[in-house]
Amino acid sequence: MTIFSQSVSPCGKFLAAGNNYGQIAVFSLSAALSSEAKEESKKPVVTFQAHDGPVYSMVSTDRHLLSAGDGEVKAWLWAEILKKGCKELWRRQPPYRTSLEVPEINALLLVPKENSLILAGGDCQLHAMDLETGAFTRALRGHTDYIHCLALRERSPEVLSGGEDGAVRLWDLRTAKEVQTIEVYKHEECSRPHNGRWIGCLATDSDWMVCGGGPALTLWHLRSSTPTTIFPMRAPQKHVTFYQDLILSAGQGRCVNQWQLSGELKAQVPGSSPGLLSLSLNQQPAAPECKVLTAAGNSCRVDVFTNLGYRAFSLSF
Amino acid sequence: MSAHVSIGGIPRIGIMESKDEVIRKRLLIDGDGAGDDRRINLLVKSFIKWCNSGSQEEGYSQYQRMLSTLSQCEFSMGKTLLVYDMNLREMENYEKIYKEIECSIAGAHEKIAECKKQILQAKRIRKNRQEYDALAKVIQHHPDRHETLKELEALGKELEHLSHIKESVEDKLELRRKQFHVLLSTIHELQQTLENDEKLSEVEEAQETSMEADPKP
């Protein structure tokens, strides 16, 4: 089993995980973290079949869980999800150019200011969907190969997308145009031709961006499009995120790596899966006691790190 | 139920038990009462015996014995009262210490919250510093702006100088060209004049010979 995606509930007490069979399992973080936790608390509270194909990406709004994988995005109510036999609230499919083959959706991104959802995946386009009306407002074209990951740059607001064609493109949502392109593989400091040029993970902090995958994990200064720090990690990274003054990354290899912006490896904390595909930080203000980092990947286990220094325990599908 | 003070050394019943339990246990443990209770019972019995006794010496010794038992009872009661006082004061002391510890716990909680805020602040500062360092490293790779400006100025001056030289050389060239032109045109004119002169002299010679040939016949 491979767990592709995770999402934390708006109340902060539950974690949803989606796997390659199309199932979504909801774990109760507050039960598993409490002092009376038993073995059953580490099992899901409810598991249901959400999609026909793998669930590649999930995000949560303040009332819904949105999941996507096999070309459709479905919405589930968090309030209903814990009851058995939960039905999806709605399902939408972005307008694809060919109706023969339905491309998969690899990444979802919420843009809270516009109350819209951005989907990106196998058809090399970014589709913007308004969450109120459900209508697909724009399609941003520019990538020449499928898109792996999305990130939101809050200040502008711009969306960054990275894909198999090795370029990170910045799109302005208001004008629906490509504002900047960074072709990572063309810079010799970070390109690793033997791994390929695909961009597997993206994270941004408004002025800075971290991206990794085929090329080495690099920190970029967006204004000047220059790579400033290269993190010496041989294995391609599949998920990266900024946290306080650190950069957390995970990929091929058991460990969650913690980097300082200067390029030093601060810590490598081993998890229980042989490879990690997604990291999730529960920073919901409603549940400060459930503030944990969870990591999941090529196994049925979701590792929970209460303190970034060690793995506390694992939840299991 | 209040805490019972220990009488005669045997710990009486604990806090939570009811009055019945107390009475039952006391009856079971000692029918008469051990220590002080027995002493009081004995005193009462000996008082009755003394009242009923006859002789003077026996009466006197019995009286002395009763007095001593009475003073023993008083002594033990005084002791118990003191112990009770001590316990009350210990309780107060413990309450005070308990409150102090609670205050210091609250204080420690606040300090922890304060320190957490400071940590967040320090992390932000560290992040800013590292971002600055990263950019500074990139900038260092490019040459200094002053130097490049100076180089630009020097190059500009050289360019000016060279263009001046070029102008003066061109002027010289023009001058020489003009002079050569003048020379060449003067030579041509001279050539023309010489040719003209030759032609004229040839024509004159031809005229002379024809004039000489004519007067002969």
Side-chain angles (χ1 to χ4, degrees), chain A residues 205 208 219 221 224 226-229 242 244-245 260-262 266, chain B residues 119-120 122-124 126-128 130-132 134-135 137-138 142:
Chain A
D205 194 21
W208 301 80
L219 178 69
H221 184 235
S224 55
T226 48
T228 53
T229 330
F242 281 92
Q244 289 181 348
D245 63 332
Q260 301 218 315
L261 287 168
S262 56
K266 183 175 171 209
Chain B
I119 278 190
L120 275 180
K123 280 190 178 171
R124 228 175 294 149
R126 172 154 46 144
K127 180 176 182 179
N128 287 342
Q130 286 181 333
E131 286 178 5
Y132 174 85
L135 270 177
K137 236 193 290 174
V138 173
H142 293 276

Side-chain angles (χ1 to χ4, degrees), chain A residues 126-141:
Chain A
L126 281 95
H127 295 273
M129 182 184 106
D130 185 292
L131 280 173
E132 287 238 8
T133 60
F136 285 93
T137 49
R138 293 183 221 101
L140 302 168
R141 280 180 210 119

Side-chain angles (χ1 to χ4, degrees), chain B residues 189-204:
Chain B
E189 269 185 44
L190 185 62
Q191 229 175 19
Q192 287 282 6
T193 345
L194 283 173
E195 277 176 11
N196 281 341
D197 278 348
E198 261 190 50
K199 274 194 195 143
L200 273 172
S201 65
E202 273 177 12
V203 163
E204 271 180 29

Side-chain angles (χ1 to χ4, degrees), chain B residues 114-161:
Chain B
E114 203 33 69
C115 285
K116 277 194 182 159
K117 261 187 249 168
Q118 282 181 354
I119 278 190
L120 275 180
Q121 177 76 334
K123 280 190 178 171
R124 228 175 294 149
I125 290 177
R126 172 154 46 144
K127 180 176 182 179
N128 287 342
R129 208 177 287 155
Q130 286 181 333
E131 286 178 5
Y132 174 85
D133 279 338
L135 270 177
K137 236 193 290 174
V138 173
I139 288 175
Q140 290 286 40
H141 282 167
H142 293 276
D144 197 7
R145 207 205 306 183
H146 287 294
E147 284 177 22
T148 1
L149 278 174
K150 272 191 220 153
E151 275 178 28
L152 266 171
E153 261 188 63
L155 280 173
K157 278 198 196 127
E158 247 195 83
L159 259 172
E160 260 188 66
H161 181 65

Side-chain angles (χ1 to χ4, degrees), chain A residues 106 121 124 143-149 161-167 185 195-200:
Chain A
N106 280 327
C124 317
H143 275 280
T144 54
D145 209 343
Y146 56 92
I147 301 171
H148 280 292
C149 44
S161 59
E164 190 73 16
D165 59 357
Y185 63 95
N195 272 346
R197 47 163 89 164
W198 51 279
I199 304 287

